[in-house]
Amino acid sequence: MITSTTGPQPADFADVRATNLAVVLRFVREHAPCSRADIAATTGLNKATVSSLVADLIDRRLVRETGLTENRVGRPATMLVLDGSPYAAIGVEINVDHVSAVATDLAGERLLTWRRSFSAGDSVSQGVASVGAIVRRVINRMAREERQVLGLAVAVPGLVDVQGTVRLAPNLGWRDADLGGDLAKALRDPGFPIQVDNDANLAALAEQRFGAHAGAADLVYLTGEIGVGAGIILDGRLRRGGLGYSGEIGHVQLDPDGPPCHCGRRGCLEVMAGIGSVLRGAPAPAEIHPADIQIEIEEVVRLARAGDAGTLATLSAAGRSLGRGVSILANLLDPEVVVLGGHYVPLAPWLLPAVHAELGHRVLAPDAGGCRVVASTLGQDAAALGGAARVLDSVDSGRLPGGLSRIP
């Protein structure tokens, strides 16, 4: 049913069919190789309807047949797998010192991963120009491969409202930017939807779809960049909050007498357990030049491996503070897994023991509520990959190429 302010109205045929097409497509993605009979038995759709829907998906080149199987009772069945070879989803991450772009096919296989330099503090118009340039290159590459772009999702380190407006991105120096609209103009209305979201939200989607804990219904992703943010998935769905501002755990205060944070408060998680605390002994993260971060992290790793006492003490202190922040998440949300991303990944061998110790002390539920804290396996481009995942989620939800579209 479709609801409105005038009460329930019957859904029209196109809407019902688009919904059913999405149901079948999701089933094939999750259970391939599978047969038409498998789809009918699990979804409750009758066999004739499934046959019609599968034929439609094959015509759109979203699904293809892949031969017969005889490992079942009765006649051999023709098996189905995802196709999607004519399609691509694009994700982009804007960070303080670089822009990353990822393109995937319908099954999530990476078609390319590109990165170019970017300067935090550039105006929004300069940022749009930089992002637009790399997206145009991706579009041209996909065109040469005869792929249709299904959509673009852009990750930004800051507050992004539910309409996709960047309300505040302090590490970029942006405020109230209509990034999606500006990009559409820069790309001359490219003919596919453009979405904008917080970087932690999109990285969480990437973890849920492609990561080591893919399919987890309750997952939190913590960014480990200049700032610390959380992408929260509960009951299998990304939770953005009422206005889209959820996940700002970096500015939860751990110590009112702690070091000053660039937000104006003291003792925030970001300044106690962010990359700044690891590299400089807890300065404001803004004091670290982005170009120096990777080099300094490599030096920290070298010293930690060599057993340097001061480095190990710094990492342990950061791990304890991070564990306090994760404990808050565990007590409030009871996630299955908390994934540490970004620059936390190479430091995880020295951070995680202290994090786990704090969880054991501070989480009320036995065994920390079953919450595991792990390092991401998706690399530095998780948020960009999550942008592609969001586009694929739109397809799963009914935004199908070549005809019916359930979601405006």
Side-chain angles (χ1 to χ4, degrees):
M1 300 293 287
I2 301 176
T3 59
S4 70
T5 55
T6 58
Q9 300 292 323
D12 63 27
F13 173 78
D15 186 78
V16 171
R17 186 168 178 83
T19 299
N20 288 339
L21 283 167
V23 167
V24 173
L25 184 63
R26 284 198 302 272
F27 185 91
V28 174
R29 177 173 65 80
E30 294 169 0
H31 301 285
C34 58
S35 69
R36 291 166 175 81
D38 294 332
I39 297 170
T42 303
T43 65
L45 297 168
N46 67 57
K47 293 182 179 180
T49 298
V50 169
S51 293
S52 174
L53 295 169
V54 168
D56 194 340
L57 293 172
I58 290 174
D59 286 344
R60 297 170 190 256
R61 296 184 65 185
L62 295 168
V63 167
R64 62 182 174 86
E65 295 178 337
T66 186
L68 302 176
T69 180
E70 298 183 1
N71 297 326
R72 58 180 59 230
V73 177
R75 293 182 299 175
T78 301
M79 305 305 285
L80 303 167
V81 295
L82 284 181
D83 183 1
S85 56
Y87 303 111
I90 303 175
V92 169
E93 178 189 9
I94 303 174
N95 212 311
V96 294
D97 64 341
H98 68 267
V99 175
S100 296
V102 171
T104 73
D105 64 12
L106 194 66
E109 293 297 322
R110 292 201 197 195
L111 304 172
L112 62 82
T113 302
W114 288 344
R115 180 177 291 202
R116 64 177 293 174
S117 61
F118 180 80
S119 297
D122 281 354
S123 67
V124 175
S125 61
Q126 290 172 312
V128 168
S130 295
V131 175
I134 196 169
V135 171
R136 277 191 293 271
R137 288 184 59 205
V138 176
I139 293 171
N140 291 337
R141 170 73 170 271
M142 295 301 99
R144 289 195 297 272
E145 297 180 5
E146 299 183 341
R147 291 180 182 271
Q148 175 188 341
V149 175
L150 298 172
L152 164 68
V154 182
V156 179
L159 298 178
V160 181
D161 68 20
V162 291
Q163 284 76 39
T165 301
V166 181
R167 290 300 182 190
L168 178 64
N171 292 323
L172 299 179
W174 294 359
R175 183 184 292 272
D176 295 328
D178 180 17
L179 182 59
D182 291 343
L183 271 176
K185 294 175 184 176
L187 297 172
R188 299 181 180 178
D189 296 322
F192 52 76
I194 298 174
Q195 305 173 79
V196 180
D197 206 340
N198 171 265
D199 57 348
N201 286 344
L202 293 182
L205 288 180
E207 291 290 343
Q208 187 194 38
R209 194 175 187 110
F210 305 122
H213 296 273
D218 299 281
L219 177 150
V220 176
Y221 179 94
L222 290 183
T223 60
E225 304 296 339
I226 291 294
V228 180
I232 301 168
I233 291 175
L234 295 177
D235 298 326
R237 296 179 58 191
L238 182 65
R239 303 297 178 171
R240 295 182 175 86
L243 297 177
Y245 303 148
S246 68
E248 287 299 317
I249 191 166
H251 298 289
V252 169
Q253 189 178 62
L254 299 183
D255 182 1
D257 297 319
C261 181
H262 69 93
C263 72
R265 301 176 181 88
R266 303 185 71 90
C268 293
L269 173 65
E270 189 168 290
V271 77
M272 300 283 289
I275 295 306
S277 68
V278 173
L279 300 184
R280 304 282 194 191
E287 295 177 12
I288 305 169
H289 194 281
D292 297 333
I293 290 179
Q294 189 60 45
I295 295 172
E296 295 199 27
I297 287 175
E298 291 171 0
E299 178 64 8
V300 169
V301 170
R302 186 190 69 80
L303 291 170
R305 286 174 175 165
D308 179 76
T311 300
L312 294 176
T314 296
L315 288 168
S316 181
R320 288 193 298 273
S321 294
L322 185 59
R324 292 174 64 187
V326 173
S327 298
I328 294 170
L329 290 170
N331 281 320
L332 285 175
L333 305 177
D334 188 28
E336 300 170 43
V337 59
V338 175
V339 182
L340 305 183
H343 297 306
Y344 283 139
V345 174
L347 303 175
W350 300 279
L351 294 175
L352 285 176
V355 171
H356 291 145
E358 289 296 314
L359 283 176
H361 294 317
R362 296 179 181 275
V363 177
L364 294 181
D367 300 320
C371 177
R372 292 165 291 168
V373 186
V374 300
S376 175
T377 59
L378 295 181
Q380 292 286 336
D381 300 309
L385 183 60
R390 179 164 175 180
V391 174
L392 297 179
D393 282 351
S394 296
V395 175
D396 283 352
S397 298
R399 194 198 298 274
L400 303 182
L404 298 172
S405 179
R406 178 167 170 256
I407 298 178

